[in-house]
Amino acid sequence: MTSTTSALKGRGTDASATPVRGRDQSQATVGDPTTVPATETALPAPQDSDRRRWIALAVVMTAAFMDLVDVTIVNIAVPSIQRGELATFSQIQWITAGYALAFAAGLVTGGRLGDIHGRRRIFLLGIGGFTLASALCGLAANPEMLVAARIAQGATAALMVPQVLSIVHATFPAHERGKVFGLFGAIVGLGAVSGPLLGALLIEWNPLGLEWRAIFLINLPVGVAGMVLGRRFITESKAPQALKLDLVGVALVTGGLLMLLYPLTRGHETGWPLWGHVSMAGSLGVFAALVAYERRKSARDGSPLIELSLFRVKSFAAGIAVQTVFGIALGVFFLVWTLYLQTGLGWSVLKAGLTGIPFSLAVSVAAGLSVQKLVPRFGRKVLQAGALLMAAGVLLYLAESERYGLAITPWQMALPLTVMGAGMGLIVAPLTDAILSGVPREHAGSASGLISTVQQMGNALGLGLVAVVFFGVMDDRPAPSDLGPAYVDAFEYALGWVAAVLIAIFLLMFALPGRSAADADADAGEREGTDESAVAAD
């Protein structure tokens, strides 16, 4: 469910109305897949009569759908992979965290490569690499190979995903983009909801005896078709003034996160050795070096990986903190929830997949209401209500688990999951607008790219913390008779941490603006129009 947060964020229409100019122009393509890129294209304006653009739209939307489904589908398959491959706890974490880390580290660079070398070219390279990596996942001979292939999947998705809305922006005229982005939002929502259920059905069906491998191999025909049709129907486009690559920045970000995450995931199994503590402490030095290098690069050529000046905007700095911590909470919850359902309670993968439907539906409904009805009227309070509602759902789930233990049923989980989903929907859709509300228009592209990147990094960190808040409270090898109770106890302990993180998010949200700039302007316009009408009436 990692991608659910990205899939439902923001309305994403403001940036396309007025193209952003200047040095941040090219970065608008690299962030959240639902944020409309603010780049211009060197090509002439798209022509309405070109029907090929609708085939191109289908291709890029299918690729985005494939990425979203692949993220959510893996969570439901984790226990099957653990049983089938005898994977260790840390390997299970890296199957999910490795993808998120590689995806986050490559997003900005992937977007810039498309601006420099052509969005179609990089998109085709990305979808081809993603398809190949999916094949390697499905054919993995051991857990180590699967982890490596998942990292490759994340890296190639970082080439593919940033090009999607850039291609749409370059392919469709302005008056058609509203309809296109509405369709895109529907596809994204469908991907987030259908991933776990599709994964459960594939594993339960077990075509050709492939078991969990089918969830990866299903990408092969889709990816090959995407490459063939994309080469024929997608029009090439580039940014006229693309920023330079910042490979040193990418290396520092990736290195710092690896120094932090690897000891976290391995610490429980290795008895928390000294080298792990040294590595985690050393990551702080790497991040300090990253800040210093980015500051120098910004002054030298104006194309840093991270635009540090953005953090002088209070709402942006607070919003990035909220996004990161929210990613941590989601990373922890969804992995331990899947393990709890299938390994702790012993449910089938299909039963576990169906159990998550109330959550997904509640997210979708609440997200639509929050953006269209609630946020324009109540502003930041909607996001804070979402954090409290989600925390209440977590605590309700904790109470239900403590009450029923191993005898709990999907029906008894439906209420807490619905409450949690409603709270999440109130947060994920308007959060991007709240973060960007105080950001100057010329930095909108850089800011949106960073928002998506830190959300993925937070998710990777949350997956790493599972070793502490879930596996860390379990015996290394519980007896078969103790396995269920051990997983239930660990799940309840993890839920307590998730609830505490959500309360922290609620407090951080006080630093967000009370109303977004767009809503404030709209209210001012309405008041001005009312005043003018009153004057005319007099």
Side-chain angles (χ1 to χ4, degrees):
M1 296 291 291
T2 304
S3 63
T4 306
T5 55
S6 294
L8 298 172
K9 281 192 296 187
R11 287 168 287 188
T13 56
D14 295 335
S16 64
T18 304
V20 176
R21 300 181 183 274
R23 69 178 188 174
D24 295 293
Q25 186 176 19
S26 64
Q27 278 193 345
T29 66
V30 302
D32 184 344
T34 60
T35 301
V36 179
T39 57
E40 296 179 5
T41 175
L43 295 177
Q47 298 298 315
D48 292 348
S49 60
D50 185 5
R51 298 183 182 276
R52 294 162 55 94
R53 68 189 187 280
W54 293 104
I55 301 177
L57 176 65
V59 172
V60 297
M61 282 192 173
T62 300
F65 180 84
M66 183 170 63
D67 166 64
L68 287 164
V69 168
D70 195 77
V71 172
T72 56
I73 206 172
V74 169
N75 280 335
I76 202 71
V78 158
S80 300
I81 296 171
Q82 186 180 29
R83 290 191 299 268
E85 300 303 311
L86 301 178
T88 64
F89 290 155
S90 64
Q91 288 168 339
I92 287 299
Q93 288 172 270
W94 275 102
I95 288 170
T96 48
Y99 182 99
L101 178 59
F103 187 54
L107 269 174
V108 174
T109 300
R112 290 188 187 174
L113 285 170
D115 290 339
I116 296 170
H117 298 292
R119 282 94 182 230
R120 187 188 75 157
R121 178 182 299 177
I122 300 301
F123 174 82
L124 293 174
L125 180 64
I127 194 173
F130 189 87
T131 304
L132 177 59
S134 297
L136 293 175
C137 287
L139 300 174
N142 52 55
E144 293 83 3
M145 181 177 173
L146 179 56
V147 170
R150 284 286 289 167
I151 292 172
Q153 262 195 323
T156 51
L159 295 177
M160 175 178 68
V161 172
Q163 319 309 326
V164 171
L165 289 191
S166 299
I167 290 171
V168 170
H169 186 78
T171 304
F172 285 83
H175 68 273
E176 288 185 339
R177 288 181 199 141
K179 177 171 61 176
V180 170
F181 291 131
L183 179 61
F184 184 81
I187 294 294
V188 159
L190 179 63
V193 171
S194 63
L197 185 57
L198 177 60
L201 290 172
L202 282 172
I203 295 173
E204 193 78 12
W205 178 33
N206 191 21
L208 302 177
L210 292 171
E211 298 179 340
W212 60 266
R213 299 175 187 275
I215 69 169
F216 297 111
L217 296 177
I218 196 174
N219 288 335
L220 270 61
V222 179
V224 170
M227 284 187 288
V228 172
L229 294 175
R231 182 177 296 277
R232 181 175 179 182
F233 292 103
I234 295 176
T235 303
E236 186 61 282
S237 65
K238 299 180 182 180
Q241 297 178 357
L243 299 183
K244 298 178 181 178
L245 300 180
D246 183 6
L247 298 180
V248 174
V250 172
L252 289 172
V253 167
T254 307
L257 284 171
L258 283 174
M259 290 175 65
L260 179 62
L261 289 175
Y262 185 74
L264 275 177
T265 56
R266 293 282 294 156
H268 173 66
E269 294 179 358
T270 56
W272 299 103
L274 177 61
W275 65 262
H277 293 87
V278 171
S279 177
M280 287 188 285
S283 68
L284 299 177
V286 174
F287 290 132
L290 171 67
V291 172
Y293 176 79
E294 293 299 285
R295 186 177 289 117
R296 289 197 303 271
K297 185 167 180 61
S298 180
R300 185 170 65 246
D301 60 20
S303 57
L305 181 72
I306 301 171
E307 184 62 58
L308 297 176
S309 65
L310 291 170
F311 289 92
R312 290 197 287 268
V313 179
K314 179 184 175 182
S315 60
F316 180 81
I320 285 293
V322 169
Q323 189 74 280
T324 304
V325 178
F326 192 52
I328 291 173
L330 297 180
V332 170
F333 175 76
F334 286 114
L335 180 56
V336 302
W337 182 46
T338 300
L339 294 170
Y340 158 74
L341 292 178
Q342 295 185 52
T343 306
L345 300 181
W347 291 1
S348 69
V349 63
L350 183 59
K351 185 176 180 180
L354 292 172
T355 300
I357 290 178
F359 178 90
S360 298
L361 293 177
V363 171
S364 300
V365 172
L369 287 175
S370 66
V371 170
Q372 297 173 20
K373 302 291 185 182
L374 300 178
V375 171
R377 184 174 180 183
F378 300 106
R380 180 186 66 203
K381 294 178 182 178
V382 176
L383 284 85
Q384 291 182 297
L388 292 179
L389 193 61
M390 199 170 177
V394 170
L395 293 175
L396 183 59
Y397 205 150
L398 177 59
E400 293 282 274
S401 179
E402 289 178 341
R403 179 180 180 184
Y404 296 106
L406 292 171
I408 194 170
T409 67
W411 296 110
Q412 290 157 344
M413 296 181 186
L415 177 59
L417 286 173
T418 301
V419 174
M420 286 180 62
M424 183 173 169
L426 294 180
I427 297 172
V428 294
L431 182 56
T432 297
D433 279 353
I435 298 173
L436 293 176
S437 61
V439 173
R441 182 175 291 274
E442 64 269 19
H443 291 307
S446 298
S448 66
L450 191 55
I451 288 169
S452 185
T453 297
V454 300
Q455 189 264 328
Q456 295 292 335
M457 289 181 177
N459 188 261
L461 182 57
L463 291 165
L465 287 171
V466 168
V468 178
V469 301
F470 184 76
F471 295 128
V473 297
M474 294 174 54
D475 293 333
D476 289 338
R477 288 184 179 15
S481 59
D482 297 332
L483 187 63
Y487 270 74
V488 171
D489 290 344
F491 176 66
E492 293 171 357
Y493 181 78
L495 284 184
W497 278 99
V498 172
V501 170
L502 289 167
I503 297 300
I505 291 171
F506 166 78
L507 297 175
L508 283 171
M509 285 177 175
F510 278 105
L512 295 175
R515 303 289 298 277
S516 74
D519 293 332
D521 290 345
D523 287 347
E526 290 178 4
R527 287 195 299 270
E528 184 178 342
T530 302
D531 293 342
E532 290 176 355
S533 298
V535 171
D538 292 341

